[in-house]
Amino acid sequence: MQRGMMLRNLITNPSIQLALFLGLGIEFAFLWRRSTLLSDQYYSDVPLPILLSVPFCLVVGYALAMIWWLIRQTKGQARFTFRFSRARFLATACLAAFIPFAVIDWVPWTPGGLLVMSILPPIEFEGLGFGLLMMAVASMPLYPVAAMIVHHTQNRRWVRLGFLAVVFWSVYFGFMLWFGIVQFRT
């Protein structure tokens, strides 16, 4: 395929157009939020630099476009898409364990991380129950997303892994865009 043809197909693809449009909208919302954070005298965390916000917004826009595409593909197949299977359960468990619920000093805090921290002996941390509770609570709204990803990526395991990674990174970047660089206070 010629280079001009690939570029034209890329530009005219509705999913790519939606991702770019959503990323641009998120960038404008970020710029509005950034000005609010900078003008707030009580806010002491650092807003995300503008050069980093552009790729972050594009990833979040791509994730939203991906979820829109998955919902459109599921139309009329809800009974087959959301039925319980081992792959859907594992995808939901992975998302519930690794989706961050906070990002502090560029480090994502995940329920799975809390679970591992509570099991390791040198660390005195009472987070076992909290980690399991967070995973259970996070798995409820994530099951439809994981089920749609698993259903529409059958026999394409790398695409499935890529979609799950996009969900992780979009939540991570969303936290970074909304809250800025949150730092521990000592």
Side-chain angles (χ1 to χ4, degrees), residues 18-49:
L18 178 65
L20 290 173
F21 178 73
L22 288 172
L24 185 65
I26 293 168
E27 179 67 26
F28 284 128
F30 164 74
L31 291 175
W32 168 78
R33 174 83 173 140
R34 179 181 166 81
S35 65
T36 306
L37 292 178
L38 288 174
S39 66
D40 189 3
Q41 61 186 359
Y42 300 109
Y43 188 77
S44 60
D45 293 325
V46 180
L48 198 65

